[in-house]
Amino acid sequence: MNDVSFVDPPAHDTDAPHAGGAPHPGVPDGPGVPARRRSTVMAETLTAAKADLVDLAHRRMQSAIPDNDWTVRQKLALTCRILFDAGHDSGLAGQITARAERPGTYYTQQLGLGFDEITESNLLLVDEDLNVLEGGGMANPANRFHSWVYRARPDVNCIIHTHPLHISALSMLETPLVVSHMDLCPLYDDCAFLEKWPGIPVGNEEGELISAALGDKRALLLAHHGQLVATGTVEESCTLAVLFERAARLQLLASAAGRIQEIPELLAREAHDWTSTPKRGQANFAYYARRALRAGHGDALVPPGSPHTHDAHDAHDTNGGA
């Protein structure tokens, strides 16, 4: 990459005429040229290399996209609501977890509550043996394989495991995810495949198998089961889980119409890296959170100690899911 530094031009009145009432020198003018084009200064980046423009965009994102101030519990509760609206709900099946401040512990849902009932106040704090350290009720026993993934991947801080419709349908075909569209490139060469179903994931055997199958990838398609996303932040995991379900849906639609064509590897990797940045994850998550809050999920941010808290004892459906 060339060592080129671009700065935004200073603000000025681009519609003001040049001295003497004439247009700016060197700027096209005339009745066939729109007023905005006639009056703008020359751009500075139209001859820049693509790599320089990518670098410039990333640097601008650092200041243009603000960090959020939600707590881990709030982001986890919002993720549950976001994924509920995105079709990841399958009764009580699925777990969404995030590492807590204390080593060897993480937050998860209370068994008996659906994704649309999770709030920051009814999340549980559990240890690797799924003992409840804070909160009421119990965790889903299938959380055990989360403990194995966290142990195998110190870089992972949030795990999402769900059984959404299109991913579940794709998993029944015992075929890996195919990434053949630009929007899906965050998953390009970043989604592993567990091609045989090992049974209910409540034993240590499944924990070892799933964590090994995931390897160093951020996502995993589990045959006859569902999906797993494991990344460094809640925002990134939420964004990738939403995208994963869309990818499965597109694969099923495209496969029904014909043979899916491959995309060039170098371009796919470029798109993967372009979209797989913390700031992109923050921007996507902020949008999904605003949409969830507008849709009526404001109760997800009920703080601990509030009387308006869902509890599993009030839930009618207490059948657990994996």
Side-chain angles (χ1 to χ4, degrees):
M1 183 178 359
N2 296 330
D3 186 15
V4 179
S5 177
F6 299 112
V7 296
D8 293 326
H12 54 78
D13 184 358
T14 56
D15 289 326
H18 189 55
H24 289 274
V27 177
D29 191 23
V33 180
R36 182 168 294 276
R37 282 193 58 197
R38 292 199 308 267
S39 58
T40 54
V41 297
M42 297 299 289
E44 296 180 347
T45 60
L46 295 185
T47 59
K50 184 177 183 179
D52 292 322
L53 295 175
V54 168
D55 180 66
L56 173 64
H58 283 314
R59 286 189 281 113
R60 284 180 172 173
M61 287 181 205
Q62 292 300 314
S63 58
I65 299 174
D67 295 333
N68 65 65
D69 57 1
W70 286 309
T71 66
V72 172
R73 296 175 71 114
Q74 289 174 327
K75 288 188 283 190
L76 208 60
L78 285 168
T79 294
C80 289
R81 303 305 185 92
I82 290 166
L83 294 184
F84 177 83
D85 287 348
H88 283 248
D89 146 69
S90 181
L92 300 180
Q95 315 89 40
I96 302 176
T97 66
R99 286 190 198 265
E101 295 75 13
R102 195 184 318 173
T105 66
Y106 53 88
Y107 298 111
T108 188
Q109 315 104 276
Q110 182 182 156
L111 181 63
L113 296 180
F115 287 169
D116 59 325
E117 297 178 306
I118 300 302
T119 69
E120 63 169 303
S121 58
N122 61 33
L123 285 167
L124 305 180
L125 177 68
V126 301
D127 62 19
E128 292 180 323
D129 296 315
L130 305 186
N131 296 311
V132 176
L133 306 178
E134 293 179 11
M138 65 177 285
N140 189 326
N143 271 300
R144 178 166 297 277
F145 75 81
H146 291 235
S147 297
W148 281 88
V149 173
Y150 282 128
R151 282 208 161 203
R153 292 281 300 276
D155 60 306
V156 167
N157 291 306
C158 178
I159 299 170
I160 295 175
H161 168 60
T162 56
H163 306 173
L165 181 65
H166 299 95
I167 287 175
S168 295
L170 181 62
S171 78
M172 295 164 65
L173 303 177
E174 293 189 356
T175 185
L177 184 73
V178 176
V179 175
S180 185
H181 187 277
M182 180 178 69
D183 292 352
L184 310 180
C185 282
L187 289 162
Y188 186 84
D189 195 29
D190 217 350
C191 182
F193 180 48
L194 182 58
E195 61 184 22
K196 296 299 179 184
W197 180 50
I200 56 173
V202 297
N204 290 315
E205 299 89 343
E206 291 79 33
E208 291 184 275
L209 184 65
I210 291 172
S211 58
L214 177 65
D216 63 353
K217 307 296 186 186
R218 295 190 299 166
L220 172 66
L221 176 63
L222 303 110
H224 305 285
H225 192 170
Q227 68 83 27
L228 174 73
V229 166
T231 80
T233 68
V234 176
E235 294 95 327
E236 185 181 7
S237 289
C238 178
T239 296
L240 210 57
V242 171
L243 186 67
F244 203 158
E245 169 64 354
R246 177 175 173 81
R249 183 181 182 186
L250 284 174
Q251 182 169 338
L252 293 170
L253 288 170
S255 297
R259 180 176 177 274
I260 297 178
Q261 304 298 313
E262 294 184 359
I263 54 178
E265 180 181 358
L266 288 178
L267 297 180
R269 292 188 183 280
E270 177 188 62
H272 172 280
D273 295 346
W274 166 245
T275 51
S276 302
T277 65
K279 281 300 180 183
R280 285 275 188 167
Q282 289 177 358
N284 287 329
F285 183 81
Y287 165 62
Y288 293 142
R290 291 194 304 271
R291 194 166 68 179
L293 293 171
R294 285 197 300 268
H297 290 297
D299 63 318
L301 303 180
V302 172
S306 169
H308 305 292
T309 302
H310 291 290
D311 188 272
H313 299 296
D314 300 326
H316 297 294
D317 181 5
T318 56
N319 294 317

